[in-house]
Amino acid sequence: MRVLVTGAAGFIGFNVSRHLLARGDTVLGIDSLNDYYDVTLKHARLAELEKLGAGFAFKQVDFSDHVTLDAALDGEQFDRIVHLGAQAGVRYSIENPRAYLQANLAGHLNMIEIARHRKVEHMVYASSSSVYGGNDTLPFRVEDRVDQPLSLYAATKKADELMSETYAHLYRIPLTGLRFFTVYGPWGRPDMAMWLFTKAIFEGRPIDVFGEGRMRRDFTYIDDIVAGIVACVDNPPADDGALKAGGSVSPHRIYNIGNSQSEDLGEMISLIEQACGRPAERRLLPMQPGDVRDTFADISAIQRDLGFAPRTTIADGVPRFVQWYREYHGL
């Protein structure tokens, strides 16, 4: 297949692109390469993709600018889209809300417009477990109501799902939205807790543990996330009027994609300590605005439809991340 991947220099986009290239697909990657976190890491990911041969092409473009996007894609051919680019981060959305309006709302609209006008076979897009907000019924199910977001980031992701439903209804575009649950692993994001904790431990600094350490997360290893995304890409929802995961009768479905294990934050820290070979000084702090206490994915829908089965436990995944971190930083 010929696949357009947005956010190709990002954590998940890079790993998806690498998998598609390895199996023989061609990938056109786009990314704005903004400075939300260290651009050096983004360039390092792109360098890894370029090593995989002529099947990969990259264009630096901001997909929230529809004029620039249309010009960049003029003459390019692709069958399917994996739209993973976005302004990420719950906490940053409180500090810089307009970045989310532009990237996550205007940007998503621009991508489904591309899908409509190019008549693509399928577009898979990133949503987030944050749409569940303060839902206290665990595990989170795609059938649950998600109209009480606790952050603007979550609100933009829910809006993306609503826009997608509208386009699937009006234009019969096959669309799949994926609510990701705390993705981690090699080549991850420096703003995520696992990276921050590992960095602080190696530097001999205390780690800030929010929620007084009484938080749980459905930590999902990157290889499992990639397997789920690719399974979705390969299997577009049918336009058959049947009820899809998430409640649509249009060719639009929504899946949770997680490890389906809610792990104690303290256990994750202990695994990092073991992998680093040194203890962490834990500084317990209150919950941050926009954050949630627990996440836990019900993945029965994607298991039923696509046979998705996460394979990596946090006990296996954390040491892999720490080992990669050591190698990347030359420690």
Side-chain angles (χ1 to χ4, degrees):
M1 290 187 296
R2 297 167 297 180
V3 186
L4 172 64
V5 178
T6 72
F11 174 33
I12 302 177
F14 157 71
N15 279 283
V16 169
S17 297
R18 184 164 61 173
H19 182 97
L20 294 172
L21 291 165
R23 74 175 194 174
D25 296 328
T26 61
V27 173
L28 172 60
I30 64 173
D31 199 298
S32 68
L33 298 176
N34 71 22
D35 61 357
Y36 169 63
Y37 61 80
D38 185 8
V39 179
T40 303
L41 177 61
K42 299 180 181 183
H43 283 293
R45 293 182 186 130
L46 290 175
E48 291 294 311
L49 293 176
E50 287 161 359
K51 292 177 185 176
L52 298 177
F56 178 69
F58 176 75
K59 294 188 176 186
Q60 183 174 349
V61 59
D62 182 353
F63 58 75
S64 71
D65 181 339
H66 72 92
V67 175
T68 302
L69 178 65
D70 290 343
L73 297 181
D74 185 40
E76 299 287 351
Q77 301 295 319
F78 42 88
D79 307 304
R80 302 188 183 188
I81 298 173
V82 184
H83 177 37
L84 300 170
Q87 178 56 62
V90 168
R91 295 162 190 164
Y92 188 62
S93 70
I94 294 171
E95 302 166 15
N96 193 2
R98 286 182 175 82
Y100 293 76
L101 175 70
Q102 190 70 14
N104 297 3
L105 297 182
H108 188 77
L109 176 63
N110 291 343
M111 292 310 304
I112 52 178
E113 275 285 280
I114 291 289
R116 173 168 80 99
H117 290 293
R118 297 296 190 96
K119 295 180 169 56
V120 300
E121 299 166 352
H122 187 199
M123 182 173 112
V124 177
Y125 67 92
S127 185
S128 168
S129 62
S130 66
V131 300
Y132 290 105
N135 188 350
D136 57 4
T137 302
L138 298 172
F140 298 157
R141 306 176 309 138
V142 291
E143 297 83 8
D144 292 342
R145 291 186 64 171
V146 288
D147 51 7
Q148 295 179 316
L150 300 183
S151 68
L152 183 67
Y153 170 67
T156 63
K157 287 301 185 179
K158 175 57 181 174
D160 290 346
E161 295 179 359
L162 292 173
M163 284 191 277
S164 298
E165 173 63 16
T166 301
Y167 269 62
H169 168 72
L170 290 175
Y171 309 114
R172 318 315 296 179
I173 305 167
L175 297 164
T176 299
L178 296 175
R179 294 173 178 170
F180 296 129
F181 281 72
T182 314
V183 188
Y184 74 97
W187 296 100
R189 288 197 349 240
D191 63 319
M192 297 291 284
M194 199 168 295
W195 182 301
L196 293 171
F197 292 167
T198 302
K199 183 175 188 290
I201 290 171
F202 277 125
E203 293 176 355
R205 294 183 291 104
I207 62 173
D208 291 337
V209 184
F210 294 100
E212 299 85 23
R214 294 181 290 105
M215 298 173 70
R216 300 181 66 86
R217 288 290 180 269
D218 197 328
F219 295 104
T220 315
Y221 192 68
I222 183 61
D223 291 0
D224 292 326
I225 289 288
V226 170
I229 293 171
V230 172
C232 290
V233 172
D234 290 346
N235 296 278
D239 189 6
D240 56 4
L243 190 68
K244 310 294 190 297
S248 179
V249 293
S250 298
H252 177 220
R253 63 195 177 190
I254 295 174
Y255 292 130
N256 287 334
I257 181 165
N259 200 45
S260 195
Q261 297 287 332
S262 190
E263 309 278 359
D264 184 78
L265 182 61
E267 175 63 16
M268 183 265 277
I269 296 170
S270 295
L271 288 168
I272 295 175
E273 290 173 324
Q274 293 171 25
C276 292
R278 62 190 76 176
E281 178 188 343
R282 308 184 191 196
R283 185 161 55 194
L284 301 183
L285 299 171
M287 290 279 288
Q288 289 194 304
D291 221 340
V292 299
R293 181 72 65 180
D294 303 304
T295 68
F296 184 4
D298 177 342
I299 59 171
S300 57
I302 193 170
Q303 285 180 318
R304 177 193 68 230
D305 293 352
L306 301 176
F308 173 72
R311 301 176 182 275
T312 309
T313 67
I314 192 171
D316 291 331
V318 169
R320 295 180 198 172
F321 167 74
V322 173
Q323 179 60 32
W324 171 85
Y325 183 93
R326 285 179 184 272
E327 294 170 358
Y328 180 76
H329 292 280
L331 299 177

